[in-house]
Amino acid sequence: MTPELARYITRRERVLDKVRRILVEHLHVARALDEIDPDAPLFGTGLGLDSVDAVELLVSMESELGVKLPNEGLSRAAMRTVNTLVDLALAHGRTDDVDG
Amino acid sequence: MSMDDEIRALRTSVALAAGDHVTCLRIEGEGAYEALDAVVACDLFLQDGQMRPSLLLDEQARPFADIHVARDDEAFYLLAEGPSPGELVEYFDKHFPPGIDAKATCCDGALLSVHGPYAWELCTAVLGPDVGSLPYLAFYRTDEAVCFRSGKTGEYGYDLLISPGELAAVREALLTEGRAFDLALAGLPALDQCALENGIFNVRREGRAGLSPLELGLQWRVSNRKEYVGSAALRARREAGAKARVVWAVAGAAVAEGDDVFLDEQRIGAVLATGFSVIRGEWVALLLLDRSYAFPGIDRFEASHAGERRPLRTVSAPLINNRSLYVSPQRHSYRERDESKMPPFVLSP
């Protein structure tokens, strides 16, 4: 594995862990961190979030990861699964110094 | 009509499909809740009219059936893919707790399914206005059908349980009204391709790879606070730690199920499922990779196919920016649609 790939995976794992913590600590998802699959749907019966939670999620993503959604279309696509949130944070957030 | 045309219709207008691959069971009788709760992998906290996706597992925690369970007062509907109707009834007979007088029987009727960003509008035209306001994961009875809103394509989806006496008339009405929606008839391969593109579990494909919900990324479909068939084995697997996990990928050239996946000269996994996406214009694949590599956003992996290495790029599912995200039954209609205002199917990585 190249150092560049290793750095990417480490950074992605840290952001994934941070998003999982947001879901458990701010959104009260009743799961252990490692039970939250990266591809779990956020809404409906996936992790059970609703439209009220969506607002809290956006606020938490901004305060914890510096994510500001650039437009409405992107927000719909970004808020589908845990992994799409991680993608959003990596592309538009402040993730260089995220701790695991 | 080709499968590509079926998929284009499903992604942009409406497609009608037979539901032969789905078995509808009804579980009823004294203790139906207790009997089902001891068997299905999810918590059964459902209100009347609600439904939920889950799994039936075998004793080794491998998927036996992909299910939606729906509460109908004191009874339940169960829509299941994977096993035959006989195998499902046998599974329940074997696993229902003793002393409970509940029975699982096949529903009288046939299933049709309607999929697409305007599926709600066609169903409203044929079955009445209430179907258009049916929430996701709920069901509703009309005079002609029991209408379950679920779907496994990423678009609006309705499974219609229709009594044998009404089947021909409802199908004809869907076809007739469907002309205004450029309705297509879709086969199971088209539905499966759409499920793959949207990262939706397919029990007839990756579900037969001997994996558990841990590797399949389906822990959200199973309870962590009750016992059910396979729960002990799943707990043991969780404590041991999953060594691999699924991740989606795209490729510019064909890759096939069973191809090995490499990082440089190190084998790190294999292709579980694949298909050409006419919407993305490239191959999409479901990979099973060593856990330390199973992340989206990596373009260093290669599949070994037909004697050559083919580059892969891992991506987050869903792989399609579904139009159903942007079409609202309160504000839109197929007749007045404006394609120019629709976002692209594929967003930049």
Side-chain angles (χ1 to χ4, degrees):
Chain A
M1 190 186 312
T2 63
E4 182 192 2
L5 179 56
R7 272 196 303 276
Y8 172 77
I9 289 176
T10 300
R11 186 166 169 233
R12 183 151 193 125
E13 281 185 307
R14 287 180 175 171
V15 175
L16 173 62
D17 184 72
K18 190 78 179 176
V19 171
R20 284 169 160 161
R21 287 182 190 281
I22 288 171
L23 291 166
V24 171
E25 293 167 10
H26 296 215
L27 282 301
H28 309 294
V29 170
R31 294 277 184 177
L33 294 180
D34 65 353
E35 287 179 35
I36 299 177
D37 298 310
D39 290 296
L42 298 172
F43 295 91
T45 56
L47 296 180
L49 304 188
D50 59 22
S51 54
V52 176
D53 295 322
V55 177
E56 174 63 33
L57 182 57
L58 285 175
V59 170
S60 298
M61 289 290 288
E62 182 170 351
S63 64
E64 299 289 322
L65 288 161
V67 173
K68 286 187 179 175
L69 285 172
N71 62 61
E72 187 199 358
L74 183 59
S75 73
R76 291 188 197 194
M79 294 182 67
R80 299 186 79 173
T81 70
V82 178
N83 257 341
T84 58
L85 281 180
V86 174
D87 289 341
L88 178 74
L90 289 170
H92 296 283
R94 188 185 59 240
T95 59
D96 289 337
D97 56 347
V98 169
D99 295 324
Chain B
M1 179 176 277
S2 71
M3 189 175 97
D4 287 354
D5 290 334
E6 295 172 22
I7 290 171
R8 283 193 193 94
L10 196 153
R11 292 296 191 204
T12 59
S13 54
V14 191
L16 173 65
D20 303 345
H21 59 290
V22 181
T23 298
C24 184
L25 295 178
R26 191 166 169 85
I27 293 92
E28 56 192 348
E30 190 74 26
Y33 177 94
E34 289 77 9
L36 201 55
D37 193 47
V39 175
V40 299
C42 69
D43 295 313
L44 273 187
F45 303 141
L46 290 170
Q47 294 183 8
D48 190 19
Q50 284 185 328
M51 56 195 293
R52 171 171 294 174
S54 186
L55 299 166
L56 299 177
L57 301 177
D58 66 14
E59 283 87 348
Q60 283 76 48
R62 298 170 301 202
F64 171 72
D66 177 14
I67 63 169
H68 276 91
V69 57
R71 181 157 199 162
D72 185 18
D73 196 8
E74 296 302 314
F76 293 87
Y77 285 108
L78 196 115
L79 301 174
E81 284 189 54
S84 70
E87 289 169 333
L88 278 164
V89 171
E90 188 181 331
Y91 179 94
F92 286 120
D93 287 345
K94 178 180 176 186
H95 293 296
F96 274 173
I100 290 181
D101 190 25
K103 281 282 177 200
T105 54
C106 290
C107 295
D108 185 28
L111 282 162
L112 294 177
S113 62
V114 186
H115 308 271
Y118 297 92
W120 55 273
E121 194 175 8
L122 175 58
C123 286
T124 297
V126 173
L127 299 168
D130 289 335
V131 177
S133 56
L134 188 62
Y136 179 53
L137 294 175
F139 73 94
Y140 175 77
R141 276 195 188 77
T142 71
D143 291 341
E144 301 89 352
V146 184
C147 182
F148 300 91
R149 186 176 160 202
S150 51
K152 295 177 183 173
T153 66
E155 310 296 346
Y156 285 96
Y158 300 85
D159 290 310
L160 310 176
L161 175 64
I162 307 165
S163 65
E166 297 280 354
L167 180 61
V170 172
R171 189 173 189 279
E172 186 57 33
L174 288 166
L175 291 172
T176 302
E177 294 286 341
R179 285 187 202 121
F181 296 86
D182 302 314
L183 176 74
L185 298 178
L188 186 56
L191 299 182
D192 284 350
Q193 175 63 25
C194 289
L196 176 64
E197 292 171 357
N198 259 82
I200 295 171
F201 173 64
N202 186 332
V203 71
R204 286 169 274 99
R205 199 176 46 198
E206 61 270 23
R208 294 294 175 253
L211 304 170
S212 80
L214 285 180
E215 294 88 6
L216 291 164
L218 295 174
Q219 293 182 90
W220 60 276
R221 287 210 202 182
V222 304
S223 173
N224 59 359
R225 52 187 167 191
K226 70 167 195 176
E227 297 297 322
Y228 47 89
V229 178
S231 59
L234 184 58
R235 203 159 42 242
R237 283 193 186 214
R238 189 175 283 139
E239 285 165 7
K243 293 182 172 53
R245 187 165 64 200
V246 295
V247 65
W248 281 262
V250 292
V255 292
E257 180 182 335
D259 288 351
D260 289 323
V261 176
F262 290 86
L263 170 62
D264 301 324
E265 295 311 310
Q266 180 186 0
R267 184 190 178 280
I268 59 169
V271 176
L272 281 182
T274 184
F276 183 76
S277 170
V278 65
I279 300 296
R280 289 189 64 105
E282 60 188 344
W283 288 80
V284 297
L286 179 64
L287 315 178
L288 180 70
L289 298 186
D290 294 348
R291 196 179 171 88
S292 53
Y293 298 103
F295 294 95
I298 299 172
D299 60 3
R300 301 292 177 85
F301 305 151
E302 295 174 312
S304 175
H305 180 86
E308 62 180 61
R309 294 289 184 89
R310 297 192 168 173
L312 298 164
R313 179 167 59 87
T314 58
V315 291
S316 296
L319 282 68
I320 300 289
N321 187 31
N322 302 97
R323 296 222 164 145
S324 293
L325 285 177
Y326 306 92
V327 172
S328 164
Q330 282 77 43
R331 292 186 285 126
H332 298 113
S333 72
Y334 185 65
R335 188 175 176 178
E336 295 176 3
R337 72 195 181 285
D338 183 349
E339 297 281 336
S340 69
K341 290 187 177 168
M342 284 292 177
F345 281 116
V346 181
L347 297 173
S348 301

